[in-house]
Amino acid sequence: MTGTSTANVIPLGETVGFPRAPRTLDETGLPLLFLVELATKLLFVRGQMRLTELSQQLRLPAIVLENLLAFMRAERICEVMRRGETDGDILYELTDAGRARASEYLGRCKYAGAAPVSLAAYVAQVERQSVTKMDVTREGVNDAFRGLIIKPEVRDQLGAAMGSGRALFLYGPAGAGKTYLAERLALLLDGDIAVPHAILVDGEIIQVFDPLIHTPVADDHRPAALDVMTRPDQRWVRCKRPVAITGGELTLRMLDLDFDATSGFYQAPPHVKANNGLFVVDDLGRQIVTPEQLMNRWIVPMDRRHDYLALHSGTKFALPFDVVLVFSTNLQPADVADPAFLRRLGYKIHIGPMDEDDYRRIFVGVCEARDVPFDEAAFQTLLKDYHEAHDQPLLACYPRDLVNQIADLARYLGEPARLTREALDWAWHNYFATR
């Protein structure tokens, strides 16, 4: 089937192939009547359209659409309104019968955009560009984390985990920097991937491309327009590997297909949109559902690297679960899941308090960023008279939060910000509510 053979791909970077543009209706991997319906709806919504415009909107080559439009003309769905100097300038419009059909089609599904790809083509492409094929090395991790203050042993744990493609469990006290580290893991995502605008499953459209999750990149590998044999399939978008982050708003329902009865098509769940990338579940334990319920939802996908979804018609199908799944929580592993699930978590990484040297380095960096002159004596006062006296650990978030308050007060008073005992005392008691 189209999309499952390496003969149907062109180079994308060093190891990944980009789907080749179809040259016939059969090579689209889509039923003819579905394409007729999609083109009819587009002509109804847009009115008269040139062949080139139809090609741009449907993301299908003109040579494929010429055959489609010839069939539609034979069925008296559309007609030629005007011929131009070239075939691309031919102007098409729906007939009265075509407009009647379009109203019927739009009543079922209002999608009238880029042609989807087949489920088989999508599965093959996700497997071709799997996160497990990324090359994550210590040198690459050091480059990505340059300037980030992190314990060497934790840095190596994160690098090895990303290279494995297995799930990570980041745990430790609030403010230790778990969320920040989880987000920085995106820097270790290697290479570009192809993401479809939508996929077709059992006649239903599922939108996959999401501009909030997918970042398109310039395609420097794109061949000349006349090079038909190596032209990329425009139904796919070349993107950076995606990063999807969810938090306390996550529910079990969000992990299923989202069907909009008004529009008549689906949105893929966030972990599907994150395929070939990173999916972060932040603040595990703050969701409406219990951690056990969420964890149980992931057991099969983590084990088998595919997930089962269902259409509203009842049709069930499998999609790849090709993400580096990251859980971030203030809870201890034993408080979140049973041993059977914890065994499936490839890496359980503790993110805890910092030592004095690293804490100072963060503090100095924050002072520079906020134009607050660093003062060693004031810093020692902070350590001994506040952290030590109040038994408060040295967590990564405190320098930023305390210095920000000092800078806020100085701006309010119209004075230069200074790191003094009085300013530290004011910020400390505001932040920890100790008065």
Side-chain angles (χ1 to χ4, degrees):
M1 183 175 289
T2 298
T4 60
S5 170
T6 55
N8 293 318
V9 299
I10 56 179
L12 174 66
E14 296 180 357
T15 58
V16 178
F18 198 99
R20 189 194 307 274
R23 288 157 290 183
T24 66
L25 287 169
D26 285 342
E27 286 187 2
T28 65
L30 304 173
L32 173 61
L33 293 184
F34 171 83
L35 289 171
V36 168
E37 179 176 326
L38 187 60
T40 301
K41 289 188 291 185
L42 183 60
L43 281 167
F44 183 87
V45 172
R46 299 293 296 270
Q48 295 180 354
M49 295 184 72
R50 292 180 175 84
L51 178 61
T52 53
E53 294 171 332
L54 280 163
S55 177
Q56 291 170 359
Q57 293 298 316
L58 294 176
R59 305 294 202 279
L60 290 173
I63 190 174
V64 173
L65 292 181
E66 284 177 342
N67 294 327
L68 176 65
L69 290 166
F71 176 82
M72 292 173 63
R73 288 173 60 193
E75 293 295 312
R76 305 194 190 288
I77 298 173
C78 71
E79 58 187 346
V80 173
M81 295 302 297
R82 185 175 70 249
R83 294 188 179 274
E85 296 181 0
T86 65
D87 290 343
D89 292 328
I90 297 177
L91 198 63
Y92 293 89
E93 185 179 45
L94 293 178
T95 62
D96 290 340
R99 280 187 282 273
R101 287 201 191 189
S103 296
E104 177 187 342
Y105 295 153
L106 288 166
R108 293 199 304 264
C109 174
K110 292 181 172 58
Y111 184 90
V117 303
S118 69
L119 176 60
Y122 176 70
V123 171
Q125 186 65 25
V126 171
E127 292 175 351
R128 189 177 296 121
Q129 58 201 21
S130 171
V131 291
T132 61
K133 298 179 180 179
M134 293 191 305
D135 186 21
V136 181
T137 65
R138 172 177 274 187
E139 181 181 1
V141 172
N142 289 342
D143 286 341
F145 285 174
R146 194 176 305 281
L148 179 65
I149 299 170
I150 178 175
K151 294 180 180 178
E153 58 268 27
V154 172
R155 179 193 58 212
D156 289 340
Q157 284 178 298
L158 293 172
M162 286 294 290
S164 75
R166 299 181 66 191
L168 289 79
F169 190 89
L170 304 180
Y171 68 102
K178 299 182 300 298
T179 299
Y180 181 71
L181 281 177
E183 293 174 353
R184 288 293 290 250
L185 290 175
L187 298 175
L188 303 181
L189 295 173
D190 178 50
D192 300 334
I193 63 168
V195 178
H197 285 278
I199 59 177
L200 186 71
V201 179
D202 198 31
E204 301 287 346
I205 295 173
I206 303 171
Q207 274 197 325
V208 177
F209 177 79
D210 185 341
L212 297 179
I213 293 177
H214 300 111
T215 304
V217 297
D219 193 351
D220 298 330
H221 300 274
R222 182 170 297 180
L226 296 178
D227 190 0
V228 178
M229 298 299 293
T230 57
R231 189 179 301 168
D233 191 338
Q234 298 300 305
R235 294 177 294 171
W236 301 79
V237 184
R238 179 172 179 157
C239 299
K240 297 180 180 179
R241 289 188 182 270
V243 178
I245 301 176
T246 63
E249 77 282 3
L250 182 63
T251 64
L252 292 178
R253 184 175 180 180
M254 289 173 59
L255 302 177
D256 293 325
L257 291 170
D258 181 16
F259 179 70
D260 186 336
T262 301
S263 64
F265 58 92
Y266 296 82
Q267 285 288 335
H271 61 285
V272 172
K273 294 180 180 181
N275 262 336
N276 302 135
L278 190 68
F279 185 55
V280 179
V281 180
D282 196 20
D283 274 339
L284 181 67
R286 295 187 180 275
Q287 290 76 21
I288 296 176
V289 297
T290 66
E292 291 82 3
Q293 290 174 308
L294 279 176
M295 293 296 192
N296 287 335
R297 174 62 177 82
W298 299 115
I299 286 181
V300 171
M302 287 172 58
D303 249 0
R304 303 180 184 178
R305 297 198 71 83
H306 62 253
D307 192 20
Y308 291 98
L309 300 175
L311 302 172
H312 69 283
S313 62
T315 299
K316 293 184 178 181
F317 61 99
L319 281 179
F321 185 78
D322 189 73
V323 298
V324 176
L325 182 60
V326 180
F327 296 103
S328 172
T329 181
N330 302 335
L331 304 174
Q332 291 294 312
D335 296 332
V336 173
D338 59 31
F341 185 87
L342 292 177
R343 177 176 54 82
R344 292 172 168 84
L345 289 171
Y347 289 81
K348 293 168 276 293
I349 303 174
H350 181 254
I351 310 297
M354 318 193 79
D355 59 34
E356 183 178 320
D357 288 340
D358 285 346
Y359 193 72
R360 177 188 283 102
R361 290 168 61 195
I362 293 180
F363 208 97
V364 170
V366 174
C367 284
E368 291 176 353
R370 291 306 309 266
D371 292 326
V372 179
F374 178 76
D375 183 276
E376 180 64 30
F379 180 73
Q380 290 300 325
T381 297
L382 173 66
L383 294 179
K384 295 176 182 177
D385 295 353
Y386 291 91
H387 279 289
E388 187 176 330
H390 293 84
D391 196 25
Q392 198 67 250
L394 305 179
L395 298 179
C397 69
Y398 294 157
R400 177 201 62 200
D401 295 340
L402 294 173
V403 173
N404 280 347
Q405 291 220 14
I406 292 172
D408 292 342
L409 178 62
R411 185 173 62 251
Y412 170 72
L413 297 176
E415 301 174 352
R418 293 168 50 210
L419 197 62
T420 64
R421 182 185 182 94
E422 292 75 15
L424 283 170
D425 185 77
W426 187 84
W428 182 275
H429 291 299
N430 276 339
Y431 188 72
F432 289 102
T434 53
R435 287 177 176 167

